[in-house]
Amino acid sequence: MPEPSPHARTIEPLTAPPDAVVTIPGSKSLTNRALVAAALAEGTSHLQGVLFADDTDAMLDCLQRLGVHLDVDRSAARVTVHGLAGPPQVTEADLDVRLSGTTARFVAPLLAAASGRFRLDGAPPFRARPMGPVLEAMRALGAEVVFERQEEHLPAVVTSRGAAGGRVTVRGDRSSQFLSGLLLVAPVLPHGLTIEVTTPLVSEPYVTLTLDVMRAFGVEVDRVDPRTFVVRPARYTSTTYEVEPDASAARYPLAAAAMTGGRVRVPGLTPAARQGDAGFAHVLGRMGAEVVVDDDGTEVRGTGRLDGLEVDLGPMSDTAQTLAVVATLASGPTSVRGIGFIRAKETDRIAAVVTELQRCGLTAREDPDGFTIEPGTPRPTSIETYDDHRMAMSFALLGLVHPGITILDPGCVAKTFPDYFTMLERLRPPGDVAGPR
């Protein structure tokens, strides 16, 4: 079997529907939240089921540069974190968040809590993503923030003298990560922190995830109304924390089952799963797939029919690109709304989805806060991925059903799921040897 090119990867269609149990790596969202809480905690924490990908490697590197001692065992998916029992004590650091939004927006508030001079930067594509809301909140806490090139974007130099806390405001309509970063640092500020969200809050399940992680490390947050969070001074306590499978990654094999009429089970994604993206399986259920969520995990069985639907994906916006691909196989149009803010993700995800589906010869249009997809059969196409891991992973599913789908820059999946294409090949039934080209 020829090795796929690092610059392009053609996905060969499945010769039969999959019947597979697929083990998914740990959640990126939970991994990076737990790493921050453990770093600020008193004592030694043991994180198990950790995801190792570019986004989490960025967080590990930044925490180490801020003086956190980590014992990393990649083969066991385990990180031991020797907590600082408070804010970082280093007085200078040059920090690279790479392409990781969670790293950038969770680490930045840590710099306001520290005392020193810090430079925060990322890979060139990340410099286009907004950082203003969290950095403005840091200014309100007394930090000096100087943008080197463009206002509200990295690189930036932060000079701080150890924020005391108090009250800040933050926008919630561009990303919930800004709020989550402030929440995570709030307990170690001497006066705690009251945070008022000044605009409608998007991706709220991720804020709930932040609160769950904080609770697991011994800190409770008082949400006095939908937009006001009160965090009193407290000390995170060390713990052993099990990272559940990544619901965002699980949706790809589950979607493949719905698209092909196959069966896929993902162990560990149980009714107790805390990630909002776990709800994507039920969206597939609304389209006609059979969905079972039990104490062992989540299973999707394709029925051979998918119906179009109208759906608000605001609470699980990262699933939008995958649903767009599934929608091409539906019996009618699918309209996704509530996701206008994803234009400021790794790329303009609304425009990218519509552009690439149109490149495939399909009918798709941009709507004010989403898109509408008409079903159809794509022609052989090379898919631009725009430095966006979720574009690559979502559109690869199209190649499991239709010939001639080539993913450009397939290596971008390393951001969150380095073994993605290996997982995809495991969906092939015995005897299906048509690997990647």
Side-chain angles (χ1 to χ4, degrees), residues 394-419:
S394 295
F395 274 81
L397 298 176
L398 205 58
L400 296 181
V401 181
H402 300 288
I405 300 299
T406 296
I407 304 301
L408 302 179
D409 187 24
C412 67
V413 302
K415 185 175 191 294
T416 56
F417 199 165
D419 294 329

Side-chain angles (χ1 to χ4, degrees), residues 90-231:
V90 300
T91 58
E92 188 174 5
D94 196 346
L95 305 170
D96 180 5
V97 305
R98 306 185 192 184
L99 291 169
S100 174
T102 52
T103 300
R105 292 153 181 175
F106 296 175
V107 165
L110 300 184
L111 308 183
S115 295
R117 185 180 185 278
F118 308 94
R119 185 175 184 273
L120 192 64
D121 197 4
F126 189 84
R127 292 174 179 171
R129 297 179 67 182
M131 284 288 291
V134 70
L135 294 175
E136 285 303 316
M138 291 165 57
R139 282 173 169 164
L141 291 171
E144 176 187 337
V145 180
V146 177
F147 297 103
E148 293 185 356
R149 299 187 180 188
Q150 180 183 358
E151 284 294 309
E152 298 195 352
H153 294 80
L154 299 184
V157 174
V158 177
T159 304
S160 56
R161 290 170 290 280
R167 187 180 188 93
V168 296
T169 60
V170 67
R171 290 180 58 169
D173 58 344
R174 299 175 79 176
S175 172
S176 65
Q177 292 173 355
F178 302 124
L179 171 60
S180 286
L182 293 167
L183 286 168
L184 285 166
V185 77
V188 303
L189 302 180
H191 298 157
L193 195 61
T194 296
I195 308 168
E196 180 184 354
V197 182
T198 58
T199 59
L201 181 60
V202 299
S203 302
E204 188 161 345
Y206 285 100
V207 178
T208 302
L209 208 62
T210 302
L211 302 180
D212 285 345
V213 170
M214 294 174 70
R215 186 175 302 113
F217 285 84
V219 172
E220 293 286 345
V221 176
D222 184 10
R223 189 171 187 176
V224 298
D225 62 49
R227 292 192 182 181
T228 307
F229 300 78
V230 177
V231 188

Side-chain angles (χ1 to χ4, degrees), residues 8-49:
R9 187 178 188 118
T10 298
I11 310 299
E12 295 294 331
L14 298 177
T15 60
D19 184 6
V21 176
V22 178
T23 300
I24 294 296
S27 161
K28 176 200 77 172
S29 298
L30 287 170
T31 294
N32 274 357
R33 284 164 171 79
L35 283 170
V36 172
L40 298 175
E42 181 177 22
T44 300
S45 295
H46 304 278
L47 311 187
Q48 301 172 353

Side-chain angles (χ1 to χ4, degrees), residues 31-47 59-60 62-64 66-70 79-89 106-107 110 184 188 213 217 235-239:
T31 294
N32 274 357
R33 284 164 171 79
L35 283 170
V36 172
L40 298 175
E42 181 177 22
T44 300
S45 295
H46 304 278
L47 311 187
M59 178 65 82
L60 290 166
C62 285
L63 291 177
Q64 287 177 314
L66 290 173
V68 182
H69 179 61
L70 306 170
V79 176
T80 300
V81 184
H82 302 275
L84 299 173
Q89 297 301 303
F106 296 175
V107 165
L110 300 184
L184 285 166
V188 303
V213 170
F217 285 84
R235 179 159 287 182
Y236 285 114
T237 55
S238 57
T239 190

Side-chain angles (χ1 to χ4, degrees), residues 314-353:
M316 47 176 143
S317 63
D318 279 351
T319 68
Q321 293 143 296
T322 305
L323 186 63
V325 170
V326 176
T328 66
L329 295 168
S331 60
T334 292
S335 292
V336 176
R337 62 183 185 276
I339 58 169
F341 60 95
I342 71 172
R343 291 187 183 276
K345 293 278 190 174
E346 280 81 345
T347 187
D348 179 340
R349 286 180 167 171
I350 293 175
V353 161

Side-chain angles (χ1 to χ4, degrees), residues 249-262:
R251 71 171 180 267
Y252 303 112
L254 296 177
M259 293 170 67
T260 61

Side-chain angles (χ1 to χ4, degrees), residues 310 324 333-336 339 343 349-351 353-355 357-358 362-374:
E310 294 185 5
T334 292
S335 292
V336 176
I339 58 169
R343 291 187 183 276
R349 286 180 167 171
I350 293 175
V353 161
V354 170
T355 297
L357 288 176
Q358 291 175 344
L362 299 169
T363 300
R365 73 165 187 264
E366 296 185 40
D367 297 328
D369 68 342
F371 48 67
T372 297
I373 312 298
E374 300 282 348

